[in-house]
Amino acid sequence: MKAWRGVIEEYRDFLPVTDKTPIVTLFEGNTPLVPAPRLAEATDARMQIYLKCEGFNPTGSFKDRGMTVAISKALETGSRAVICASTGNTSASAAAFAARAGIRAFVMVPKGAVALGKLSQAAIHGAKVLMVDGNFDQALTIVRQIAERYPVTLVNSVNPFRLEGQKTGAFEVCDQLGRAPDYHLVPVGNAGNITAYWRGYREYHRAGRVKELPRMVGFQAAGAAPIYENRVIQEPRTVATAIKIGNPASWGPALEAMKDSRGWIDIVTDEEILRAYRLLAHEEGIFMEPASAATVAGLSKLIKAGRFEPGSTLVLTLTGHGLKDPDTALESASRPTTVPPRVDAVLAQLGL
Ligand SMILES: *Cc1c(COP(=O)(O)O)cnc(C)c1O
């Protein structure tokens, strides 16, 4: 067995790099595809359910797959600084890869709507962090304007290299499963990832690596569901801050992915998201952030509605690690109990 080399080296033939591209990697990718028997039992035992645990990437989210390509290409063209708007994970990833590359990172996040772990990552990696008194969509509009006029590379998913890197998630699923799944479920925020996965499946299919193509199924939070409702949401609301987006950058491509794959986009409520979030942690031992749990919530909803044929193979992308958002975890679970340092007092609590 040889050591994993990061997504660019592992999938070089499928990516827009040359011998001249300086590769900036944190050895991202190679995340586990975990079978979820309890989840299948809780929903429909006749399904094969797998979790693609993207929270196990170097900065704790799938954003690293795209960032390794975006930052490598930025370096190749001589860029010395990158900029992004972010609900948190893009800024954490941009900050880490910029540090690795030895260039500057400027990140803009919506004030009061970024999970603590993500903010601490951007800060410790040395990015210049600006909190905007507004939402993500406004921050994205601002950084797009700045990147057009100043010598700084935009690394949001409107940067085409981001999606190129992110499509490697689909390659890995196929390599790990030995085939493409029947359905691939993802949470949808800016809609870059659903677009990238579909591109990855198509390219692997075209290259003869897999014989099947999955149907792409996306989930938006009910309070932030522009694609589902077919209208821009001015003030998106959801506990799942990573998908709290009212005007997705990859709206059109996501619709195409749905149509081409004969898939669809659905919504889940915050209550359903939080229930799925706890279920995943309690029953499968997997701690992912609320946005990731949107796919698990969606799975339960669609299985109840009979949307999948019995025996189907389903892959769910769990996009980011639970430690990103410790506040939501503590609010969603029972609080620790304080006890005096005596055996009898401890025993009284344990009910053994
Ligand atoms: C970015 C992100 C999403 C949304 O992905 P899009 O490509 O913007 O649709 C979902 N979950 C997590 C944890 C994320 O970081």
Coordinates of all heavy atoms in Angstrom, one line a residue, residues 61-63 89 166 187-193 242-243 289 291-292 319-320, ligand 1:
S61 N -13.8 19.8 6.4 CA -14.9 19.8 5.5 C -14.5 19.5 4.1 O -13.3 19.5 3.7 CB -15.6 21.2 5.5 OG -15.0 22.1 4.6
F62 N -15.4 19.2 3.2 CA -15.1 18.9 1.8 C -14.5 20.0 1.0 O -13.9 19.8 -0.1 CB -16.4 18.4 1.0 CG -17.3 19.6 0.7 CD1 -17.2 20.4 -0.4 CD2 -18.4 19.8 1.5 CE1 -18.0 21.4 -0.7 CE2 -19.3 20.9 1.3 CZ -19.1 21.7 0.1
K63 N -14.6 21.3 1.6 CA -14.0 22.4 0.9 C -12.5 22.2 0.5 O -12.0 22.8 -0.4 CB -14.2 23.7 1.7 CG -15.6 24.0 2.1 CD -16.5 24.4 0.9 CE -17.7 25.1 1.2 NZ -18.7 24.5 2.1
N89 N -16.8 27.4 6.4 CA -15.8 26.3 6.0 C -14.9 26.7 4.9 O -13.8 26.3 4.8 CB -16.6 25.0 5.7 CG -17.0 24.3 6.9 OD1 -16.4 24.4 8.0 ND2 -18.1 23.6 6.9
Q166 N -13.5 19.5 -6.2 CA -14.6 18.9 -5.5 C -15.2 17.7 -6.2 O -15.7 16.8 -5.5 CB -15.7 19.9 -5.1 CG -15.3 20.8 -4.0 CD -16.2 22.0 -3.7 OE1 -15.7 23.1 -3.4 NE2 -17.5 21.8 -4.0
P187 N -26.4 18.0 0.9 CA -27.0 19.2 1.3 C -26.6 20.3 0.3 O -25.6 20.2 -0.4 CB -26.3 19.6 2.7 CG -25.0 18.9 2.6 CD -25.2 17.7 1.7
V188 N -27.5 21.3 0.1 CA -27.3 22.3 -0.9 C -27.3 23.7 -0.3 O -28.3 24.1 0.3 CB -28.4 22.2 -2.0 CG1 -28.3 23.3 -3.0 CG2 -28.2 20.9 -2.8
G189 N -26.2 24.4 -0.5 CA -26.1 25.8 0.0 C -25.9 26.7 -1.2 O -26.9 27.1 -1.9
N190 N -24.6 26.9 -1.6 CA -24.3 27.6 -2.8 C -24.5 26.7 -4.0 O -24.3 27.2 -5.2 CB -22.9 28.2 -2.7 CG -22.9 29.7 -2.9 OD1 -23.8 30.3 -3.3 ND2 -21.7 30.2 -2.7
A191 N -24.7 25.5 -3.8 CA -25.0 24.5 -4.9 C -23.8 24.1 -5.7 O -23.9 23.5 -6.8 CB -26.1 24.9 -5.8
G192 N -22.6 24.4 -5.2 CA -21.4 24.0 -5.9 C -21.1 22.5 -5.8 O -20.7 21.8 -6.7
N193 N -21.4 21.9 -4.6 CA -21.0 20.5 -4.4 C -21.9 19.6 -5.2 O -21.4 18.6 -5.8 CB -21.1 20.2 -2.9 CG -20.0 19.2 -2.5 OD1 -19.0 19.1 -3.1 ND2 -20.3 18.4 -1.4
A242 N -24.1 26.5 7.4 CA -23.3 26.2 6.2 C -24.2 26.2 4.9 O -23.7 26.3 3.8 CB -22.5 24.9 6.3
I243 N -25.5 26.1 5.1 CA -26.4 26.1 3.9 C -27.4 27.3 4.1 O -28.4 27.2 3.5 CB -27.1 24.8 3.7 CG1 -27.8 24.3 4.9 CG2 -26.1 23.7 3.2 CD1 -28.7 23.0 4.7
E289 N -21.6 18.2 11.3 CA -22.3 19.5 11.7 C -23.7 19.5 11.1 O -24.1 18.6 10.3 CB -21.5 20.7 11.1 CG -21.4 20.8 9.6 CD -20.7 22.1 9.3 OE1 -21.4 23.1 9.3 OE2 -19.5 22.1 8.9
A291 N -25.5 21.1 9.0 CA -25.7 21.1 7.5 C -25.6 19.7 6.9 O -26.3 19.3 6.0 CB -24.8 22.1 6.8
S292 N -24.6 19.0 7.4 CA -24.4 17.6 7.0 C -25.6 16.7 7.3 O -26.0 15.8 6.5 CB -23.2 17.0 7.6 OG -22.1 17.8 7.4
T319 N -20.9 16.6 5.0 CA -20.0 17.6 4.5 C -19.0 18.2 5.4 O -17.9 18.6 5.0 CB -20.9 18.8 3.9 OG1 -21.9 19.1 4.9 CG2 -21.5 18.5 2.6
G320 N -19.3 18.3 6.7 CA -18.4 18.9 7.7 C -18.4 18.3 9.1 O -19.5 17.8 9.5
Ligands
LIG1 C1 -20.1 24.5 2.0 C2 -20.9 23.6 2.8 C3 -22.2 23.1 2.3 C4 -22.8 23.6 1.1 O1 -22.2 23.2 -0.1 P1 -22.5 24.0 -1.4 O2 -21.4 23.6 -2.4 O3 -22.3 25.5 -1.1 O4 -23.8 23.7 -1.8 C5 -22.8 22.1 3.1 N1 -22.3 21.7 4.3 C6 -21.1 22.1 4.7 C7 -20.6 21.6 6.0 C8 -20.4 23.1 4.0 O5 -19.2 23.5 4.5

